[in-house]
Amino acid sequence: DETQLSIARYIVNAGDMFQLWDLLPEETKLNVESIEGFDELEEFFLFCHHYIICHSTNSNSFEFADKYRFRKREELGEYQVIQKPMKVIEVEDKSLLKRKFGASALLPSDEIIYTFGCFNSRLQTTLSLSTGVTHSAIDSSRIPQERMCHTFTYVDDNTCILAGGRTAPNKTLEDVWILTRKQSEGAWEWQQGLNLPDPRFRHSACLLNEHQLLIYGGKTRGSTFLVYDMRKNEIKQPKVLGSISCRASAALCFNIPSQTGAIFGGLKENSTIDDTLTTFKYDSEANTLTIEKTSRSPLFKRYGAKAVFTDMDTLLLVGGTSPDRLFGQTTTIVEINVGTRVTSLVEIPKELWMNDSLMLVGFELQMLNSGDILCFGGGAVCYGFGAVWNKILKVGSGNAISEIE
């Protein structure tokens, strides 16, 4: 009865399935990995956070052994919550964006080129998306091998660069392809470029200036950073002043006017998820990358997130998953001041959160000329819960979202 419950002493050890996985010896995890390569960690996090393991006893003499005691997770703390205008864009062809772990590039015309990825299997198609609604396929006589977890980066109006990726988890690619548009015909065409020094996938890439591309991290035995110089047609390792680890599926973004970059989270070589934001500067003359400042937060502890500079002083961090928690209505998107590191939670409107299944895993993010941000593609598949594929989420830059042309 209630009286007995009020005086009972319960000893409880409770956690989710990932906390149980986290207690396993590293040797056991490596043995599992050796049997079959496991890559889609985002979906594993999501799945595990939905199952709870709880042991409880009212025995005064019982204590849980340390090796079975679930580790306490870091609390988020209190943050200011802000609102931004958001809306979901419906696509007539609902199968169009049923792809995850593809890669995209935004052209000055707001046209988005969206490459490869996977649906039920890896895809070899490249799409041209206009304002996120209409599309057309890009045909070429030569097409790169189907892949996922690669990068695809805008260089100029007529050039984009694809690098690396994978087919199966244990079949990593090192090739680089250049997608160019013939000015006379307006047609796009693939051409093979230099190979990376080492295969890599789940890396990140960004444009540094009009002729140099930065490649960071990934699952690779190669260098933490590479600079692809298109003018010299060479790939070199930059000099790095400061320290930063090589991480997979980190969020990388770069502001060209200030030559400032930012890196969030990602999977470290010891199989833990990093919880830092690191900013850096790049000097193209000296080919030197200088680490400036590193800050920690449980909100930065993400795998597969995307980030963008919304202006010189502000970063937006979107999506991804965490080993510690499910990101929710106010924690999926956060805004960070680059200088002060003040972080605010961006609340997703309740009607969108409840009615539109936002599963920001394996997705893409691009900021349009208007400053509005599109999140598209991606989703998650679970044999227990089924498949979820994202619609297009548009996040406004100001007090109102610009009209779709």
Side-chain angles (χ1 to χ4, degrees):
D1 60 17
E2 291 186 7
T3 303
Q4 290 175 317
L5 287 173
S6 66
I7 63 175
R9 178 178 179 268
Y10 287 94
I11 300 172
V12 179
N13 184 39
D16 64 33
M17 193 180 290
F18 188 80
Q19 287 173 283
L20 180 64
W21 168 261
D22 208 29
L23 291 176
L24 294 176
E26 194 63 30
E27 182 181 359
T28 302
K29 297 178 184 177
L30 291 174
N31 286 338
V32 173
E33 180 76 17
S34 68
I35 296 169
E36 182 176 357
F38 178 68
D39 179 42
E40 293 172 12
L41 190 58
E42 295 97 333
E43 294 181 353
F44 185 58
F45 286 156
L46 292 172
F47 178 82
C48 287
H49 289 329
H50 283 85
Y51 290 89
I52 300 297
I53 300 116
C54 179
H55 301 110
S56 178
T57 179
N58 60 0
S59 171
N60 290 329
S61 60
F62 183 86
E63 291 291 341
F64 289 100
D66 285 342
K67 71 175 182 177
Y68 297 118
R69 191 184 301 277
F70 292 122
R71 301 182 183 95
K72 189 176 180 181
R73 289 166 170 166
E74 183 179 359
E75 298 293 331
L76 281 182
E78 296 185 359
Y79 295 89
Q80 179 187 18
V81 179
I82 62 175
Q83 283 79 35
K84 290 181 178 291
M86 299 186 197
K87 68 191 298 183
V88 165
I89 302 172
E90 297 282 355
V91 180
E92 289 185 12
D93 183 356
K94 296 188 182 299
S95 66
L96 171 64
L97 294 178
K98 284 187 177 181
R99 66 174 66 203
K100 55 183 180 175
F101 303 111
S104 68
L106 178 74
L107 304 183
S109 62
D110 277 348
E111 177 186 5
I112 295 171
I113 309 296
Y114 193 15
T115 63
F116 304 157
C118 70
F119 176 47
N120 292 327
S121 60
R122 283 165 292 280
L123 301 171
Q124 201 176 15
T125 55
T126 299
L127 301 177
S128 170
L129 307 177
S130 176
T131 65
V133 179
T134 61
H135 76 284
S136 60
I138 289 178
D139 296 318
S140 177
S141 57
R142 297 184 67 197
I143 301 175
Q145 183 178 2
E146 67 275 4
R147 68 192 66 208
M148 56 190 285
C149 302
H150 55 290
T151 56
F152 187 67
T153 310
Y154 162 82
V155 177
D156 59 40
D157 293 9
N158 303 305
T159 311
C160 298
I161 303 291
L162 180 150
R166 71 166 178 87
T167 53
N170 59 348
K171 294 182 179 179
T172 311
L173 302 170
E174 60 189 6
D175 53 344
V176 173
W177 288 77
I178 305 169
L179 184 65
T180 57
R181 178 159 46 190
K182 295 180 179 179
Q183 295 184 357
S184 59
E185 303 172 14
W188 291 95
E189 184 175 73
W190 287 106
Q191 297 177 341
Q192 189 160 7
L194 298 173
N195 279 347
L196 298 172
D198 297 275
R200 69 178 67 210
F201 69 102
R202 284 191 174 271
H203 50 290
S204 309
C206 62
L207 188 68
L208 295 171
N209 48 54
E210 61 184 12
H211 65 97
Q212 288 181 309
L213 180 76
L214 179 70
I215 297 172
Y216 165 72
K219 292 192 175 182
T220 182
R221 295 179 180 177
S223 304
T224 301
F225 291 99
L226 294 172
V227 172
Y228 184 4
D229 192 316
M230 287 151 283
R231 186 176 293 167
K232 297 179 180 179
N233 194 32
E234 64 180 15
I235 299 175
K236 294 181 66 175
Q237 182 179 346
K239 182 179 180 181
V240 179
L241 302 180
S243 177
I244 184 170
S245 60
C246 184
R247 307 196 291 262
S249 286
L252 167 70
C253 59
F254 195 77
N255 181 263
I256 292 178
S258 65
Q259 287 291 285
T260 301
I263 299 171
F264 290 91
L267 179 71
K268 297 190 286 189
E269 291 181 352
N270 63 0
S271 299
T272 62
I273 304 299
D274 187 85
D275 63 354
T276 64
L277 157 61
T278 298
T279 50
F280 63 90
K281 292 277 191 180
Y282 179 70
D283 181 348
S284 60
E285 293 295 325
N287 191 29
T288 299
L289 190 147
T290 303
I291 305 299
E292 287 205 314
K293 183 178 179 181
T294 297
S295 305
R296 289 185 63 254
S297 168
L299 286 169
F300 304 157
K301 194 173 186 178
R302 299 178 184 231
Y303 182 72
K306 302 291 182 182
V308 64
F309 277 89
T310 55
D311 59 41
M312 297 275 282
D313 303 312
T314 310
L315 289 159
L316 200 68
L317 178 65
V318 181
T321 59
S322 169
D324 292 350
R325 69 194 81 248
L326 285 169
F327 291 121
Q329 185 181 350
T330 58
T331 52
T332 294
I333 305 175
V334 296
E335 186 177 83
I336 305 101
N337 181 283
V338 178
T340 65
R341 294 298 204 264
V342 171
T343 302
S344 302
L345 309 180
V346 180
E347 184 175 24
I348 298 173
K350 185 177 181 180
E351 63 273 16
L352 297 188
W353 186 252
M354 298 298 292
N355 299 328
D356 297 286
S357 301
L358 298 174
M359 193 70 70
L360 296 178
V361 168
F363 72 107
E364 282 295 289
L365 179 150
Q366 295 293 347
M367 187 168 72
L368 305 177
N369 289 319
S370 63
D372 294 341
I373 292 167
L374 293 184
C375 301
F376 55 94
V381 177
C382 171
Y383 293 110
F385 301 127
V388 175
W389 298 98
N390 292 320
K391 301 173 184 176
I392 298 174
L393 174 66
K394 192 171 189 180
V395 181
S397 58
N399 296 324
I401 291 181
S402 60
E403 291 299 318
I404 301 169
E405 298 176 359

